[in-house]
Amino acid sequence: MSHPANGLDEVVHQRVRLGILAVLAEAKHADFRYLKETLQLTDGNLSSHLQVLEDAGCAMVDKSFEGRKPRTKVRITKRGRLAFEDEIARLRDIVVRFEKSGRSG
Amino acid sequence: MTSEAPDAAGAFEALSHAERLRRTTRRAARSIWFPLVLFGAATWGSAVVCTNDPYFGRSTNALNLYWLVAGPAAYLGSLWFYRRRERAVGVGEHPLPFVAAGLVLLLFTVSFVSIKQDGQGGATLTGFFRPGGYLDTLPAFAIAAVVAIVAYRFRKHGIAILAASVALCSLLFAADWMQLVLSYSYAMMYNTFPVIIAAIALLILAAIEKSPTLAVIAVLLGTAAGLSGIYWIANRFHGVPNCGGELGGMGAFVTAAGAIAFLVERRRAR
């Protein structure tokens, strides 16, 4: 049986992107502003991570106007949700595996 | 083991990080104080509408009509609150469970509006939930099945609870167990069923919001409403109950819970 760490998806595994997906998994959508404040990122940093997630088909970015105010909504895709859940399951596996080896060793 | 230790420490840290962000987002997106205050105020309002009747104990038609308006109004008010909050906070909630819950609750309310008094101390229901026959209750079972499919499709526990509530209610009426249990035709439902519906609504909301506090409040309210109905049966033989006081008390309880939730949420936001 291969180690669960071997199957980790680099797009999702990266700390900031995992954080973005964790936020998006709990909501229908999140504003760019909310993500920036919650993850404590700069505009440019968040944009580049969102671009990676969008390119991988894990997130969708929707830019619109509400009155005169621009609003950027980000939502998770089905693929993104699956990738996130898979990542969480693998991380849990690693922790459980380590705990088991600690008990037996 | 040694080579796995950094992996495990990293995995544990990543899991904690993700869980912390999920919790923060849940708290930001979800709020319970406003629906509580709204449903509490609606229950309070029902105490004003409720008038004591020397025969039936309560003027149920006025109460049912009141809930036909107040129920959907409180629901729509909650919807408006969540929309407004979504814009202010920047996180949107999944609308499907809320919409499904609202539609079924509306159906429940409409179904229970047509109660005919027979002048003999009993009553006949003319909605979906007619007593004494599985065939009559078939539409209600169909609703429960559709809601259960939606719950399964979207993996929503709140909708599953809703489906189970509809199915259980249908079964109670189909088998006429309600009458057996209470030995008086639908007295319990007569008096406090709208409040029990409000309690079910809160329980669904609790499941959607993943809020144990709200679930406890909903169960307490439902129990209080049920006991109040049974209390009325006993009281009917000894005097006229004070329906305004009972409903007013329940309304005050929910409103107070809403006020406490508001203070807790405000403290967390700081």
Side-chain angles (χ1 to χ4, degrees), chain B residues 2-267:
Chain B
T2 326
S3 64
E4 283 190 1
D7 272 353
F12 186 78
E13 202 279 323
L15 279 172
S16 309
H17 170 66
E19 188 45 48
R20 202 166 45 243
L21 285 168
R22 290 181 92 158
R23 207 168 38 239
T24 306
T25 307
R26 263 206 301 274
R27 279 183 186 163
R30 291 156 201 182
S31 173
I32 59 168
W33 75 269
F34 190 78
L36 276 176
V37 168
L38 214 55
F39 276 99
T43 313
W44 230 344
S46 73
V48 178
V49 176
C50 177
T51 51
N52 288 325
D53 182 294
Y55 197 81
F56 271 94
R58 284 173 193 175
S59 170
T60 46
N61 284 340
L63 254 185
N64 285 322
L65 285 173
Y66 170 82
W67 275 107
L68 183 64
V69 179
Y75 172 79
L76 288 174
S78 304
L79 205 62
W80 167 82
F81 167 75
Y82 282 121
R83 291 276 297 167
R84 200 166 161 263
R85 193 181 154 81
E86 178 189 316
R87 256 179 255 131
V89 178
V91 190
E93 263 274 57
H94 293 283
L96 187 82
F98 205 75
V99 171
L103 284 175
V104 176
L105 285 170
L106 182 68
L107 228 154
F108 254 107
T109 316
V110 170
S111 299
F112 281 107
V113 158
S114 351
I115 297 175
K116 282 184 182 168
Q117 300 175 359
D118 61 11
Q120 308 287 313
T124 316
L125 287 169
T126 55
F128 277 150
F129 300 92
R130 278 189 294 269
Y134 287 96
L135 207 62
D136 284 344
T137 328
L138 216 53
F141 280 116
I143 293 167
V146 170
V147 178
I149 292 166
V150 172
Y152 178 75
R153 168 69 183 79
F154 292 96
R155 305 281 192 279
K156 294 287 177 190
H157 295 121
I159 304 182
I161 293 169
L162 185 64
S165 310
V166 177
L168 183 71
C169 224
S170 316
L171 199 67
L172 281 172
F173 282 104
D176 230 0
W177 286 340
M178 202 77 114
Q179 196 161 3
L180 284 171
V181 171
L182 295 171
S183 354
Y184 185 84
S185 56
Y186 320 109
M188 182 177 168
M189 179 196 67
Y190 236 67
N191 290 282
T192 43
F193 209 86
V195 185
I196 292 173
I197 289 176
I200 293 171
L202 288 177
L203 195 63
I204 293 158
L205 201 61
I208 294 167
E209 305 282 305
K210 290 180 185 164
S211 165
T213 319
L214 189 57
V216 170
I217 291 164
V219 169
L220 284 176
L221 179 70
T223 312
L227 287 176
S228 165
I230 293 163
Y231 172 70
W232 178 79
I233 299 166
N235 221 0
R236 191 173 172 271
F237 301 104
H238 302 106
V240 179
N242 180 4
C243 70
E246 286 171 17
L247 288 171
M250 277 185 259
F253 173 75
V254 182
T255 312
I260 293 166
F262 173 74
L263 292 173
V264 171
E265 283 173 25
R266 208 173 63 164
R267 203 176 154 196

Side-chain angles (χ1 to χ4, degrees), chain A residues 54-101:
Chain A
E54 210 177 2
D55 290 345
C58 293
M60 268 165 52
V61 179
D62 175 29
K63 289 178 182 174
S64 61
F65 278 90
E66 263 181 22
R68 286 182 179 179
K69 281 186 179 175
R71 195 175 173 192
T72 306
K73 287 182 190 174
V74 187
R75 63 189 78 215
I76 195 166
T77 61
K78 199 173 175 181
R79 191 172 170 183
R81 191 175 290 278
L82 285 173
F84 174 71
E85 283 167 5
D86 188 54
E87 174 74 13
I88 293 293
R90 282 179 193 278
L91 290 173
R92 281 200 184 118
D93 270 0
I94 294 172
V95 174
V96 169
R97 221 175 137 112
F98 175 71
E99 282 172 351
K100 273 184 186 167
S101 69

